[in-house]
Amino acid sequence: MKRTSNILIVAALATGAFLAACNRGEHNRKPGRIYMPDMYESRAYEFYSARLSGLKPVEGTVKRGELLPYHLKESDTALANLVKNPLTITPTDLKEGERLFNIYCGICHGTALDGNGPLYKGGDGPYPAAPANLVAGAKSGYTEGRLFHVMTYGYNMMGSYASQLDREQRWKIAAYIKSKQPGAAAPSEAPAKDSSAIAAK
């Protein structure tokens, strides 16, 4: 009987010690000295917070290197006709405008800008509605500002391209389209030195 009670006492003490060791808490897990406490006990920071990632930039924010914001609304088409291209267009810019046009616009409007791209194919393509002819008809009279406006907001069946093309790219495409329309002036090259003036010296 005495032996059984001793076994029970030892078992109770062992169980108590085990439970006490488990419930000591987090403080006893830390060592006595910490080499770099600011790293060991750094504050947690949630980088990809759902609240922060859903925030939009403050209205009027301009991305570094970006052109100034375009403030006209979709319905301001009359004002868009008066907007001038803020870029000084060079032949290199026209080449880039052509490249971007062929990537984003040529599929519908065609590389000849005649509205007969691969999606239409003279009515035999998968797209039933004829895209706008940009070199003949009413659209050939659009200003660069109006072309930019259409690319920004879309028009009729054409959606907006503001998410695919930044402002500078849209202006380059508008300049390229305008350069292909009737009565377009050639872009100004860098002024060449007059050879006769050089020879006179």
Side-chain angles (χ1 to χ4, degrees):
M1 182 79 168
K2 188 175 180 183
R3 187 173 176 179
T4 304
S5 63
N6 286 342
I7 291 172
L8 288 174
I9 290 169
V10 169
L13 288 173
T15 304
F18 177 73
L19 291 174
C22 289
N23 292 326
R24 274 176 143 179
E26 187 179 305
H27 296 292
N28 290 326
R29 291 174 157 272
K30 294 181 180 178
R33 292 182 184 175
I34 301 170
Y35 174 60
M36 297 184 81
D38 57 335
M39 290 181 70
Y40 187 82
E41 298 178 350
S42 62
R43 283 190 354 211
Y45 182 76
E46 182 57 61
F47 287 99
Y48 300 103
S49 160
R51 186 184 68 80
L52 292 176
S53 63
L55 292 176
K56 291 185 176 178
V58 177
E59 189 174 343
T61 300
V62 180
K63 186 173 75 173
R64 186 175 295 170
E66 178 67 273
L67 295 176
L68 290 175
Y70 185 68
H71 294 294
L72 295 185
K73 304 298 181 201
E74 186 175 358
S75 58
D76 296 336
T77 52
L79 291 174
N81 288 319
L82 305 175
V83 176
K84 302 293 181 197
N85 191 333
L87 304 177
T88 303
I89 298 297
T90 65
T92 306
D93 293 328
L94 286 181
K95 267 309 228 193
E96 177 63 6
E98 180 181 14
R99 186 185 75 82
L100 293 168
F101 180 90
N102 289 336
I103 292 170
Y104 293 97
C105 316
I107 189 81
C108 290
H109 295 284
T111 53
L113 289 78
D114 58 357
N116 195 20
L119 286 182
Y120 184 62
K121 285 187 196 171
D124 295 331
Y127 193 68
N133 185 331
L134 300 173
V135 290
K139 307 294 187 294
S140 66
Y142 277 13
T143 64
E144 288 182 47
R146 181 67 183 274
L147 293 167
F148 178 88
H149 191 80
V150 169
M151 284 182 269
T152 302
Y153 290 109
Y155 186 72
N156 290 338
M157 298 295 289
M158 174 183 153
S160 167
Y161 278 79
S163 61
Q164 294 97 319
L165 297 160
D166 63 30
R167 290 188 190 100
E168 188 172 335
Q169 290 172 324
R170 279 177 271 149
W171 279 118
K172 287 178 181 177
I173 292 174
Y176 167 70
I177 294 170
K178 198 67 192 165
S179 74
K180 294 296 183 183
Q181 290 176 340
S188 57
E189 296 275 2
K193 293 183 180 176
D194 187 3
S195 58
S196 61
I198 294 171
K201 290 180 182 178

